[in-house]
Amino acid sequence: MAHIVFCAAALSAVPAWAQTQANTPATAAALSLNIDAPTEVQDYLSRHLELLRYNALDDLDTTEVDKLVQSADMQARELLGTLGYFSPQLQWQRENANAQARHPVRLTVVPGEQTRISQVQLSFVGDLAGAAFESVRDKLRKSWWLPAGLPFTQEAWNQAKNQLLRTVSTQDFAQARWQETRADIDPERHSATLVLVLDSGPQIFLGALDIEGTEHYDAQMVQRLARLRAGQAYKQSDLLEAQQRLISSGYYDSVLIALAETGSPEAWPVKVQLREAARQKFVIGVGVKSDSGMHLSAEHVHHRVPGLNWRASTKLELDQKLQSLGAELLAPPNANLWRWNLSAKATHEVLSTYETHSQRWRAGQAKLGDTIDRNIYAQYDSASSTLVGDDLKESASANFAWTWRGFDSLPFPSRGWGFGVELGAGMTLGSTQVPYARWLGKTLFMVPLSSTWGRIALRGQAGGIGTQDASAIPNTQLFIAGGQNSVRGYAPGSIGVANANGTISPGRYMAVGSAEWQVPIRMNKRMTDWEGTVFLDAGAVANDPRDLQPQVGLGMGARWRSPVGPLQIDLAYGEATRAWRLHLNVGFVF
């Protein structure tokens, strides 16, 4: 009742206040609003009160302003209710016209005690209510975002409901829906009782694939890549992973996999809509590398070579320091997703103090998964360089590579870790035949700190060759460091074994490590697609592990979530060279 009396009193004072309008400059705004309230409330009302939309109008009279203030009072109370303030005290004060506005209004808000959640009553109906899902129900109740004791806000209430429904509907229960949700508010006790009833519907099991869009590649290939078995329990993540496998295969330009609109819970059809990639494609690429300037590439892909039905690709790359020509034949996946592959590549590369010419021939099988990659292959290497005594050297080896990735999202990970290892055993060829073993390991940890402080990225790489005599091993099988994905602040191939004539050559052992702090960049209190970084890199190469002496690079940079992948821009200082280097890179590869 006090609020009604106040509004009447404010409106009765309008005639006296209106007499001051003649002294207001013509350039003043029609209406202004000053809000005196706690920061959270002030910011929220400033963003959402419709009264502020009228500040640019130049034909408002006092009667119209009175009506707008009355309407704003009701809206402000509704807005405060969404923040959990159901018994606020609001005072509207009409002020004299000034140079800024002809109709200045001041709102003073005493929000009172914020409503808190006193009880959560979460129950289930449908198959989820059965005894077989008791542990699932317990887990859902424990993961509920708004437990007793937390403040009640409309935004948090909506988010919590959406999160729980999303969790249930993306695994086992695709038809889940809310049967009832309500928040019982007690304004006197400043408490809220949340009542929720979720109807899970029946548990869904996958049925047959309903495939549309096949033309050149048969449905059997789709089934092998999708790996969705009839009878397996529904998980949305399984459908998304199948979709990604089909797209990553290169045979399809677009893929959409979803449950059909209707079906039986025991065997719900899965609809697969495809658009096949063109049988052949030719791609020209133009770019810039920080270490070698302009970079050109040309690639031709034939997705189904006549008579062989394998995919063939040929790629040419040219820049100031690297020229390479490669070709690959890749078989369709078998029932276990393993694929035969044959490849050959010839390369000429200019490193810091020498040039190298090399060839690599490879034959084997690979299985690329969402989290695990496996590769088994035989390889022939030949290489020669301008280093003294480094004439043509050859080797043959058998190799196994294994990589595991546990990142939250690619290609823009914010947390998780990955690990990879390569193991090989070979023999040098030619007049000197020496057996050798080669290993290389790598790891990456991304540790989140907070939404404000970003994350820490820790990277490590180490490798070695065991042999009685490394002089006959091709230099491409040895190790060298420096550059964007190695030790920043140094040129590619500039960290190795120092020779008496001042040149740098590859070595038998390598160790590289990096620590990087990645911090989100905000503008106007909002997240952007940019991050700032500071980093410290160190790496060493030697022919004896006891001679590994790390060279250090440190600097700062920026990261941009570009449409084509993460763009990395780094400015690094090499402690040994006492010089700065700019490094550019696009993409995330592990």
Side-chain angles (χ1 to χ4, degrees):
M1 190 66 180
H3 167 66
I4 297 175
V5 172
F6 166 74
C7 286
L11 294 176
S12 67
V14 166
W17 169 80
Q19 294 176 4
T20 66
Q21 303 308 307
N23 298 324
T24 303
T27 57
L31 183 148
S32 68
L33 175 63
N34 293 316
I35 302 175
D36 296 330
T39 302
E40 176 197 16
V41 173
Q42 184 185 61
D43 292 344
Y44 191 70
L45 293 179
S46 297
R47 289 198 306 269
H48 298 289
L49 269 177
E50 293 184 2
L51 181 64
L52 295 170
R53 294 168 48 192
Y54 298 92
N55 61 353
L57 297 181
D58 57 5
D59 58 350
L60 288 176
D61 59 28
T62 56
T63 302
E64 290 171 325
V65 173
D66 293 339
K67 293 179 180 179
L68 290 174
V69 169
Q70 287 180 329
S71 176
D73 183 84
M74 292 185 290
Q75 187 197 10
R77 293 179 184 277
E78 293 175 358
L79 291 171
L80 289 168
T82 66
L83 295 177
Y85 300 106
F86 292 95
S87 302
Q89 297 180 18
L90 276 64
Q91 181 179 1
W92 297 86
Q93 181 179 353
R94 302 282 295 277
E95 298 179 335
N96 293 332
N98 53 48
Q100 285 72 44
R102 297 192 299 275
H103 301 281
V105 178
R106 181 175 297 276
L107 169 61
T108 303
V109 180
V110 180
E113 184 178 344
Q114 189 175 25
T115 296
R116 291 186 174 273
I117 299 165
S118 60
Q119 188 178 6
V120 179
Q121 300 174 7
L122 175 59
S123 58
F124 304 90
V125 296
D127 284 3
L128 182 55
F133 294 99
E134 182 178 359
S135 62
V136 176
R137 296 194 301 271
D138 291 342
K139 185 177 179 180
L140 291 171
R141 289 189 175 99
K142 291 177 181 178
S143 65
W144 171 249
W145 279 11
L146 283 181
L150 288 185
F152 174 85
T153 67
Q154 188 65 43
E155 181 180 10
W157 171 231
N158 291 336
Q159 288 179 349
K161 290 187 292 183
N162 292 338
Q163 184 271 338
L164 186 66
L165 181 60
R166 184 166 54 250
T167 300
V168 174
S169 63
T170 55
Q171 182 167 341
D172 291 313
F173 305 102
Q175 295 180 304
R177 63 180 183 85
W178 286 113
Q179 186 179 88
E180 179 184 5
T181 63
R182 72 174 191 272
D184 295 332
I185 307 298
D186 186 338
E188 294 182 357
R189 296 183 178 180
H190 306 288
S191 66
T193 299
L194 308 183
V195 179
L196 307 101
V197 181
L198 190 144
D199 181 0
S200 70
Q203 185 181 12
I204 302 296
F205 296 89
L206 302 186
L209 301 186
D210 180 12
I211 302 171
E212 297 179 0
T214 56
E215 184 178 351
H216 300 107
Y217 315 114
D218 57 24
Q220 187 178 32
M221 180 183 292
V222 177
Q223 293 169 346
R224 285 180 178 177
L225 290 169
R227 302 192 71 180
L228 296 173
R229 291 183 298 100
Q232 76 179 70
Y234 163 75
K235 286 177 63 176
Q236 188 182 59
S237 60
D238 289 343
L239 271 60
L240 293 175
E241 290 171 4
Q243 183 172 292
Q244 186 59 44
R245 279 194 295 271
L246 286 163
I247 292 175
S248 299
S249 71
Y251 294 110
Y252 308 98
D253 280 338
S254 68
V255 180
L256 178 62
I257 301 180
L259 294 179
E261 294 184 2
T262 59
S264 168
E266 294 80 15
W268 202 287
V270 178
K271 197 172 188 65
V272 182
Q273 296 175 299
L274 308 165
R275 187 175 75 246
E276 293 182 349
R279 182 72 68 91
Q280 298 186 61
K281 67 177 181 179
F282 191 76
V283 180
I284 299 290
V286 179
V288 177
K289 288 187 174 182
S290 55
D291 294 306
S292 55
M294 183 70 70
H295 181 83
L296 302 176
S297 66
E299 182 177 14
H300 174 262
V301 177
H302 195 303
H303 283 293
R304 196 168 189 176
V305 177
L308 185 60
N309 293 333
W310 287 27
R311 183 167 66 200
S313 63
T314 306
K315 187 172 185 179
L316 173 68
E317 294 185 89
L318 299 171
D319 61 40
Q320 294 178 5
K321 296 187 177 181
L322 174 70
Q323 301 87 46
S324 68
L325 176 63
E328 182 182 40
L329 284 172
L330 184 64
N334 63 19
N336 295 317
L337 293 184
W338 284 91
R339 307 176 73 169
W340 284 100
N341 62 81
L342 304 171
S343 66
K345 189 175 185 179
T347 303
H348 168 249
E349 187 172 11
V350 179
L351 295 169
S352 60
T353 61
Y354 68 95
E355 298 180 30
T356 180
H357 292 81
S358 65
Q359 292 186 39
R360 186 198 68 199
W361 297 74
R362 179 181 291 184
Q365 279 190 305
K367 182 178 182 180
L368 306 183
D370 302 303
T371 57
I372 298 177
D373 293 344
R374 306 172 184 87
N375 203 344
I376 302 173
Y377 56 93
Q379 183 168 295
Y380 163 82
D381 289 276
S382 69
S384 63
S385 77
T386 57
L387 292 169
V388 176
D390 193 14
D391 51 1
L392 183 65
K393 299 172 183 177
E394 302 171 283
S395 70
S397 60
N399 302 269
F400 171 74
W402 183 90
T403 300
W404 180 86
R405 294 177 297 272
F407 301 103
D408 58 345
S409 62
L410 295 175
F412 303 104
S414 61
R415 67 174 64 209
W417 70 285
F419 174 77
V421 63
E422 298 177 16
L423 302 174
M427 178 78 71
T428 62
L429 306 176
S431 58
T432 304
Q433 297 183 354
V434 179
Y436 68 92
R438 184 181 189 275
W439 62 272
L440 176 66
K442 61 179 181 178
T443 188
L444 173 64
F445 290 88
M446 303 192 77
V447 183
L449 301 178
S450 69
S451 59
T452 301
W453 294 103
R455 71 195 69 86
I456 299 293
L458 302 173
R459 172 172 53 88
Q461 189 176 29
I465 287 184
T467 183
Q468 292 181 345
D469 180 9
S471 62
I473 297 177
N475 61 54
T476 52
Q477 287 282 283
L478 301 174
F479 301 99
I480 201 156
Q484 172 64 38
N485 294 313
S486 180
V487 182
R488 287 164 287 188
Y490 298 83
S494 62
I495 299 178
V497 177
N499 301 311
N501 61 0
T503 59
I504 301 294
S505 61
R508 292 176 55 181
Y509 299 95
M510 177 195 66
V512 171
S514 173
E516 181 171 296
W517 181 23
Q518 304 169 352
V519 184
I521 295 176
R522 289 177 169 81
M523 292 187 66
N524 298 325
K525 299 182 179 181
R526 294 187 178 182
M527 296 286 290
T528 68
D529 290 331
W530 288 87
E531 292 182 336
T533 67
V534 292
F535 56 84
L536 175 68
D537 297 346
V541 174
N543 285 323
D544 189 317
R546 293 169 294 184
D547 296 331
L548 290 171
Q549 298 294 325
Q551 298 190 42
V552 176
L554 67 162
M556 64 189 69
R559 303 288 180 267
W560 176 42
R561 296 169 64 98
S562 80
V564 295
L567 171 64
Q568 304 175 34
I569 307 171
D570 293 321
L571 183 62
Y573 177 77
E575 187 181 53
T577 61
R578 297 185 179 181
W580 292 90
R581 291 187 69 88
L582 179 65
H583 301 276
L584 302 175
N585 189 55
V586 177
F588 174 85
V589 178
F590 185 86

